[in-house]
Short mmCIF file of all heavy atoms in Angstrom, two decimals:
data_model
loop_
_atom_site.label_atom_id
_atom_site.label_comp_id
_atom_site.label_asym_id
_atom_site.label_seq_id
_atom_site.Cartn_x
_atom_site.Cartn_y
_atom_site.Cartn_z
N ARG A 269 -13.99 31.59 -54.67
CA ARG A 269 -13.27 32.68 -54.01
C ARG A 269 -13.17 33.90 -54.92
O ARG A 269 -13.16 35.04 -54.46
CB ARG A 269 -11.88 32.23 -53.58
CG ARG A 269 -11.20 33.17 -52.60
CD ARG A 269 -9.84 32.65 -52.20
NE ARG A 269 -9.27 33.40 -51.10
CZ ARG A 269 -8.04 33.24 -50.64
NH1 ARG A 269 -7.24 32.34 -51.20
NH2 ARG A 269 -7.58 33.95 -49.64
N ALA A 270 -13.07 33.66 -56.23
CA ALA A 270 -12.99 34.75 -57.20
C ALA A 270 -14.36 35.26 -57.61
O ALA A 270 -14.51 36.41 -58.01
CB ALA A 270 -12.21 34.30 -58.42
N LEU A 271 -15.37 34.40 -57.52
CA LEU A 271 -16.70 34.73 -58.03
C LEU A 271 -17.57 35.46 -57.02
O LEU A 271 -18.31 36.38 -57.37
CB LEU A 271 -17.40 33.45 -58.48
CG LEU A 271 -18.74 33.61 -59.18
CD1 LEU A 271 -18.57 34.24 -60.54
CD2 LEU A 271 -19.44 32.26 -59.32
N TYR A 272 -17.49 35.05 -55.76
CA TYR A 272 -18.36 35.61 -54.73
C TYR A 272 -17.70 36.80 -54.04
O TYR A 272 -16.53 36.74 -53.67
CB TYR A 272 -18.71 34.55 -53.68
CG TYR A 272 -19.76 33.57 -54.15
CD1 TYR A 272 -19.41 32.50 -54.98
CD2 TYR A 272 -21.09 33.70 -53.77
CE1 TYR A 272 -20.37 31.60 -55.41
CE2 TYR A 272 -22.05 32.79 -54.20
CZ TYR A 272 -21.69 31.75 -55.02
OH TYR A 272 -22.63 30.85 -55.44
N ALA A 273 -18.48 37.85 -53.84
CA ALA A 273 -17.97 39.04 -53.14
C ALA A 273 -17.60 38.69 -51.70
O ALA A 273 -16.61 39.18 -51.16
CB ALA A 273 -19.01 40.15 -53.18
N LYS A 274 -18.42 37.84 -51.07
CA LYS A 274 -18.16 37.40 -49.70
C LYS A 274 -18.30 35.88 -49.65
O LYS A 274 -19.35 35.35 -49.98
CB LYS A 274 -19.13 38.06 -48.72
CG LYS A 274 -18.95 39.57 -48.59
CD LYS A 274 -19.92 40.14 -47.57
CE LYS A 274 -19.76 41.64 -47.43
NZ LYS A 274 -20.73 42.21 -46.45
N LEU A 275 -17.26 35.22 -49.23
CA LEU A 275 -17.28 33.77 -49.10
C LEU A 275 -17.26 33.41 -47.61
O LEU A 275 -16.43 33.93 -46.86
CB LEU A 275 -16.04 33.17 -49.81
CG LEU A 275 -16.12 31.71 -50.27
CD1 LEU A 275 -17.25 31.54 -51.28
CD2 LEU A 275 -14.80 31.28 -50.89
N PRO A 276 -18.18 32.54 -47.15
CA PRO A 276 -18.27 32.25 -45.71
C PRO A 276 -17.20 31.29 -45.19
O PRO A 276 -17.29 30.82 -44.07
CB PRO A 276 -19.67 31.62 -45.59
CG PRO A 276 -19.89 30.96 -46.91
CD PRO A 276 -19.24 31.87 -47.92
N TYR A 277 -16.20 31.00 -46.00
CA TYR A 277 -15.10 30.13 -45.57
C TYR A 277 -13.88 30.48 -46.40
O TYR A 277 -13.98 31.10 -47.47
CB TYR A 277 -15.45 28.65 -45.77
CG TYR A 277 -15.71 28.28 -47.21
CD1 TYR A 277 -14.70 27.83 -48.05
CD2 TYR A 277 -16.99 28.41 -47.77
CE1 TYR A 277 -14.93 27.53 -49.39
CE2 TYR A 277 -17.24 28.10 -49.10
CZ TYR A 277 -16.21 27.67 -49.90
OH TYR A 277 -16.44 27.37 -51.22
N ASP A 278 -12.71 30.11 -45.92
CA ASP A 278 -11.48 30.29 -46.68
C ASP A 278 -11.07 28.92 -47.22
O ASP A 278 -10.77 28.01 -46.44
CB ASP A 278 -10.37 30.85 -45.78
CG ASP A 278 -9.12 31.24 -46.56
OD1 ASP A 278 -8.65 30.42 -47.37
OD2 ASP A 278 -8.62 32.36 -46.37
N PRO A 279 -11.06 28.75 -48.55
CA PRO A 279 -10.77 27.43 -49.11
C PRO A 279 -9.37 26.93 -48.81
O PRO A 279 -9.09 25.73 -48.94
CB PRO A 279 -10.96 27.63 -50.62
CG PRO A 279 -10.83 29.10 -50.84
CD PRO A 279 -11.33 29.74 -49.60
N PHE A 280 -8.47 27.83 -48.38
CA PHE A 280 -7.10 27.43 -48.06
C PHE A 280 -6.90 27.25 -46.55
O PHE A 280 -6.43 26.21 -46.10
CB PHE A 280 -6.11 28.45 -48.61
CG PHE A 280 -6.16 28.59 -50.11
CD1 PHE A 280 -6.80 29.65 -50.71
CD2 PHE A 280 -5.58 27.62 -50.91
CE1 PHE A 280 -6.87 29.77 -52.08
CE2 PHE A 280 -5.62 27.73 -52.30
CZ PHE A 280 -6.28 28.80 -52.89
N LYS A 281 -7.29 28.24 -45.77
CA LYS A 281 -7.02 28.21 -44.33
C LYS A 281 -7.95 27.29 -43.55
O LYS A 281 -7.56 26.75 -42.51
CB LYS A 281 -7.12 29.63 -43.75
CG LYS A 281 -6.06 30.59 -44.27
CD LYS A 281 -6.24 31.96 -43.64
CE LYS A 281 -5.20 32.94 -44.16
NZ LYS A 281 -5.38 34.30 -43.58
N ASP A 282 -9.17 27.10 -44.04
CA ASP A 282 -10.17 26.35 -43.28
C ASP A 282 -10.21 24.86 -43.59
O ASP A 282 -11.00 24.13 -43.00
CB ASP A 282 -11.57 26.94 -43.52
CG ASP A 282 -11.71 28.34 -42.95
OD1 ASP A 282 -10.90 28.70 -42.08
OD2 ASP A 282 -12.61 29.08 -43.39
N PHE A 283 -9.36 24.41 -44.53
CA PHE A 283 -9.41 23.01 -44.94
C PHE A 283 -8.03 22.38 -45.05
O PHE A 283 -7.04 23.07 -45.28
CB PHE A 283 -10.10 22.88 -46.30
CG PHE A 283 -11.57 23.20 -46.28
CD1 PHE A 283 -12.00 24.51 -46.51
CD2 PHE A 283 -12.51 22.22 -46.03
CE1 PHE A 283 -13.35 24.82 -46.48
CE2 PHE A 283 -13.86 22.52 -46.01
CZ PHE A 283 -14.27 23.83 -46.24
N VAL A 284 -8.02 21.07 -44.90
CA VAL A 284 -6.83 20.25 -45.15
C VAL A 284 -7.15 19.36 -46.34
O VAL A 284 -8.08 18.54 -46.27
CB VAL A 284 -6.46 19.38 -43.95
CG1 VAL A 284 -5.27 18.50 -44.28
CG2 VAL A 284 -6.17 20.24 -42.73
N PRO A 285 -6.45 19.49 -47.47
CA PRO A 285 -6.70 18.60 -48.61
C PRO A 285 -6.34 17.16 -48.26
O PRO A 285 -5.33 16.91 -47.60
CB PRO A 285 -5.77 19.15 -49.70
CG PRO A 285 -5.44 20.55 -49.27
CD PRO A 285 -5.42 20.50 -47.77
N ILE A 286 -7.17 16.22 -48.69
CA ILE A 286 -6.90 14.80 -48.48
C ILE A 286 -6.45 14.15 -49.78
O ILE A 286 -5.33 13.66 -49.88
CB ILE A 286 -8.13 14.07 -47.91
CG1 ILE A 286 -8.52 14.67 -46.55
CG2 ILE A 286 -7.85 12.58 -47.77
CD1 ILE A 286 -9.80 14.08 -45.97
N THR A 287 -7.31 14.17 -50.78
CA THR A 287 -6.95 13.59 -52.08
C THR A 287 -7.93 13.99 -53.16
O THR A 287 -9.12 14.19 -52.89
CB THR A 287 -6.89 12.04 -52.00
OG1 THR A 287 -6.36 11.53 -53.22
CG2 THR A 287 -8.26 11.44 -51.76
N LEU A 288 -7.42 14.12 -54.37
CA LEU A 288 -8.28 14.30 -55.54
C LEU A 288 -8.89 12.94 -55.87
O LEU A 288 -8.17 11.95 -56.04
CB LEU A 288 -7.45 14.80 -56.72
CG LEU A 288 -8.16 14.90 -58.07
CD1 LEU A 288 -9.22 16.00 -58.04
CD2 LEU A 288 -7.15 15.17 -59.19
N VAL A 289 -10.21 12.87 -55.95
CA VAL A 289 -10.88 11.61 -56.26
C VAL A 289 -10.92 11.39 -57.78
O VAL A 289 -10.51 10.34 -58.27
CB VAL A 289 -12.30 11.58 -55.67
CG1 VAL A 289 -13.05 10.32 -56.12
CG2 VAL A 289 -12.23 11.62 -54.14
N ALA A 290 -11.38 12.39 -58.52
CA ALA A 290 -11.47 12.22 -59.96
C ALA A 290 -11.63 13.55 -60.67
O ALA A 290 -12.11 14.52 -60.09
CB ALA A 290 -12.63 11.30 -60.32
N GLY A 291 -11.23 13.56 -61.93
CA GLY A 291 -11.46 14.70 -62.80
C GLY A 291 -12.40 14.27 -63.91
O GLY A 291 -12.39 13.10 -64.32
N VAL A 292 -13.25 15.20 -64.37
CA VAL A 292 -14.19 14.85 -65.43
C VAL A 292 -14.33 16.02 -66.40
O VAL A 292 -14.19 17.18 -66.01
CB VAL A 292 -15.59 14.51 -64.88
CG1 VAL A 292 -15.53 13.39 -63.86
CG2 VAL A 292 -16.26 15.73 -64.26
N PRO A 293 -14.62 15.72 -67.68
CA PRO A 293 -14.95 16.80 -68.60
C PRO A 293 -16.40 17.21 -68.39
O PRO A 293 -17.20 16.45 -67.85
CB PRO A 293 -14.77 16.15 -69.97
CG PRO A 293 -15.07 14.71 -69.74
CD PRO A 293 -14.58 14.42 -68.34
N ASN A 294 -16.75 18.41 -68.78
CA ASN A 294 -18.15 18.80 -68.84
C ASN A 294 -18.64 18.51 -70.26
O ASN A 294 -17.85 18.37 -71.18
CB ASN A 294 -18.33 20.29 -68.52
CG ASN A 294 -18.10 20.59 -67.06
OD1 ASN A 294 -17.75 19.71 -66.28
ND2 ASN A 294 -18.29 21.84 -66.68
N VAL A 295 -19.94 18.41 -70.40
CA VAL A 295 -20.52 18.12 -71.71
C VAL A 295 -21.66 19.10 -71.98
O VAL A 295 -22.48 19.37 -71.11
CB VAL A 295 -21.01 16.65 -71.79
CG1 VAL A 295 -22.06 16.36 -70.74
CG2 VAL A 295 -21.54 16.33 -73.17
N MET A 296 -21.69 19.64 -73.17
CA MET A 296 -22.75 20.55 -73.59
C MET A 296 -23.93 19.71 -74.05
O MET A 296 -23.84 18.98 -75.03
CB MET A 296 -22.27 21.45 -74.72
CG MET A 296 -23.28 22.48 -75.18
SD MET A 296 -22.61 23.51 -76.52
CE MET A 296 -24.02 24.59 -76.83
N VAL A 297 -25.05 19.80 -73.31
CA VAL A 297 -26.23 19.00 -73.63
C VAL A 297 -27.44 19.90 -73.79
O VAL A 297 -27.57 20.93 -73.12
CB VAL A 297 -26.51 17.94 -72.53
CG1 VAL A 297 -25.53 16.80 -72.63
CG2 VAL A 297 -26.48 18.55 -71.13
N VAL A 298 -28.33 19.49 -74.70
CA VAL A 298 -29.56 20.23 -74.94
C VAL A 298 -30.74 19.26 -74.86
O VAL A 298 -30.57 18.04 -74.95
CB VAL A 298 -29.56 20.92 -76.33
CG1 VAL A 298 -28.50 22.01 -76.39
CG2 VAL A 298 -29.31 19.90 -77.45
N ASN A 299 -31.92 19.79 -74.67
CA ASN A 299 -33.12 18.96 -74.65
C ASN A 299 -33.27 18.29 -76.01
O ASN A 299 -33.27 18.96 -77.05
CB ASN A 299 -34.34 19.83 -74.33
CG ASN A 299 -35.63 19.04 -74.37
OD1 ASN A 299 -36.23 18.87 -75.43
ND2 ASN A 299 -36.07 18.57 -73.22
N ALA A 300 -33.40 16.98 -76.01
CA ALA A 300 -33.39 16.21 -77.27
C ALA A 300 -34.57 16.57 -78.18
O ALA A 300 -34.40 16.72 -79.40
CB ALA A 300 -33.41 14.72 -76.96
N GLU A 301 -35.75 16.72 -77.62
CA GLU A 301 -36.93 17.03 -78.44
C GLU A 301 -36.81 18.42 -79.06
O GLU A 301 -37.14 18.62 -80.24
CB GLU A 301 -38.20 16.93 -77.60
CG GLU A 301 -38.56 15.50 -77.19
CD GLU A 301 -39.90 15.43 -76.49
OE1 GLU A 301 -40.57 16.48 -76.36
OE2 GLU A 301 -40.27 14.33 -76.05
N LYS A 302 -36.35 19.39 -78.29
CA LYS A 302 -36.18 20.74 -78.81
C LYS A 302 -35.10 20.77 -79.89
O LYS A 302 -35.23 21.49 -80.88
CB LYS A 302 -35.82 21.71 -77.68
CG LYS A 302 -36.96 22.01 -76.73
CD LYS A 302 -36.54 23.07 -75.72
CE LYS A 302 -37.69 23.45 -74.79
NZ LYS A 302 -37.29 24.52 -73.83
N ALA A 303 -34.04 20.00 -79.66
CA ALA A 303 -32.96 19.96 -80.65
C ALA A 303 -33.48 19.41 -81.99
O ALA A 303 -33.17 19.94 -83.06
CB ALA A 303 -31.81 19.10 -80.13
N ALA A 304 -34.28 18.35 -81.92
CA ALA A 304 -34.84 17.76 -83.14
C ALA A 304 -35.78 18.73 -83.83
O ALA A 304 -35.75 18.89 -85.07
CB ALA A 304 -35.56 16.46 -82.80
N ALA A 305 -36.62 19.40 -83.04
CA ALA A 305 -37.60 20.33 -83.60
C ALA A 305 -36.95 21.53 -84.27
O ALA A 305 -37.45 22.06 -85.26
CB ALA A 305 -38.57 20.79 -82.52
N ASN A 306 -35.81 21.96 -83.74
CA ASN A 306 -35.13 23.14 -84.26
C ASN A 306 -33.89 22.80 -85.09
O ASN A 306 -33.09 23.68 -85.41
CB ASN A 306 -34.74 24.06 -83.10
CG ASN A 306 -35.95 24.62 -82.38
OD1 ASN A 306 -36.75 25.34 -82.96
ND2 ASN A 306 -36.09 24.29 -81.10
N LYS A 307 -33.74 21.51 -85.43
CA LYS A 307 -32.65 21.02 -86.27
C LYS A 307 -31.27 21.42 -85.73
O LYS A 307 -30.41 21.90 -86.46
CB LYS A 307 -32.82 21.54 -87.70
CG LYS A 307 -34.11 21.04 -88.36
CD LYS A 307 -34.25 21.57 -89.78
CE LYS A 307 -35.55 21.05 -90.41
NZ LYS A 307 -35.74 21.57 -91.80
N ILE A 308 -31.11 21.21 -84.41
CA ILE A 308 -29.82 21.49 -83.77
C ILE A 308 -29.06 20.18 -83.62
O ILE A 308 -29.40 19.34 -82.77
CB ILE A 308 -30.02 22.16 -82.39
CG1 ILE A 308 -30.73 23.50 -82.57
CG2 ILE A 308 -28.67 22.34 -81.69
CD1 ILE A 308 -31.11 24.17 -81.25
N ASN A 309 -28.07 19.97 -84.44
CA ASN A 309 -27.29 18.72 -84.42
C ASN A 309 -25.82 18.95 -84.09
O ASN A 309 -25.06 17.98 -84.02
CB ASN A 309 -27.40 18.03 -85.78
CG ASN A 309 -28.82 17.57 -86.07
OD1 ASN A 309 -29.41 16.84 -85.29
ND2 ASN A 309 -29.38 18.03 -87.19
N SER A 310 -25.42 20.20 -83.92
CA SER A 310 -24.02 20.51 -83.63
C SER A 310 -23.94 21.80 -82.84
O SER A 310 -24.93 22.52 -82.68
CB SER A 310 -23.24 20.67 -84.95
OG SER A 310 -23.70 21.83 -85.65
N VAL A 311 -22.75 22.09 -82.35
CA VAL A 311 -22.53 23.34 -81.62
C VAL A 311 -22.76 24.54 -82.54
O VAL A 311 -23.36 25.54 -82.13
CB VAL A 311 -21.11 23.39 -81.02
CG1 VAL A 311 -20.88 24.71 -80.30
CG2 VAL A 311 -20.88 22.23 -80.06
N LYS A 312 -22.34 24.43 -83.78
CA LYS A 312 -22.55 25.53 -84.74
C LYS A 312 -24.04 25.77 -84.97
O LYS A 312 -24.49 26.91 -85.08
CB LYS A 312 -21.83 25.23 -86.05
CG LYS A 312 -20.31 25.39 -85.97
CD LYS A 312 -19.66 25.19 -87.33
CE LYS A 312 -18.15 25.43 -87.25
NZ LYS A 312 -17.49 25.24 -88.57
N ASP A 313 -24.82 24.68 -85.04
CA ASP A 313 -26.27 24.82 -85.19
C ASP A 313 -26.86 25.55 -84.00
O ASP A 313 -27.74 26.40 -84.14
CB ASP A 313 -26.93 23.43 -85.30
CG ASP A 313 -26.65 22.73 -86.62
OD1 ASP A 313 -26.23 23.41 -87.58
OD2 ASP A 313 -26.83 21.50 -86.67
N PHE A 314 -26.37 25.19 -82.81
CA PHE A 314 -26.88 25.81 -81.59
C PHE A 314 -26.57 27.31 -81.58
O PHE A 314 -27.44 28.12 -81.24
CB PHE A 314 -26.27 25.14 -80.35
CG PHE A 314 -26.75 25.73 -79.05
CD1 PHE A 314 -27.90 25.25 -78.45
CD2 PHE A 314 -26.06 26.77 -78.44
CE1 PHE A 314 -28.35 25.80 -77.25
CE2 PHE A 314 -26.51 27.32 -77.25
CZ PHE A 314 -27.65 26.83 -76.66
#
Side-chain angles (χ1 to χ4, degrees):
R269 194 179 190 187
L271 186 69
Y272 283 80
K274 294 182 180 179
L275 203 61
Y277 62 91
D278 188 311
F280 298 102
K281 295 180 181 179
D282 293 340
F283 292 90
V284 177
I286 299 175
T287 188
L288 174 68
V289 174
V292 304
N294 288 3
V295 59
M296 183 180 180
V297 285
V298 294
N299 177 275
E301 290 186 3
K302 289 185 177 182
N306 295 298
K307 298 180 180 179
I308 298 174
N309 295 304
S310 67
V311 178
K312 286 185 177 180
D313 289 342
F314 180 88

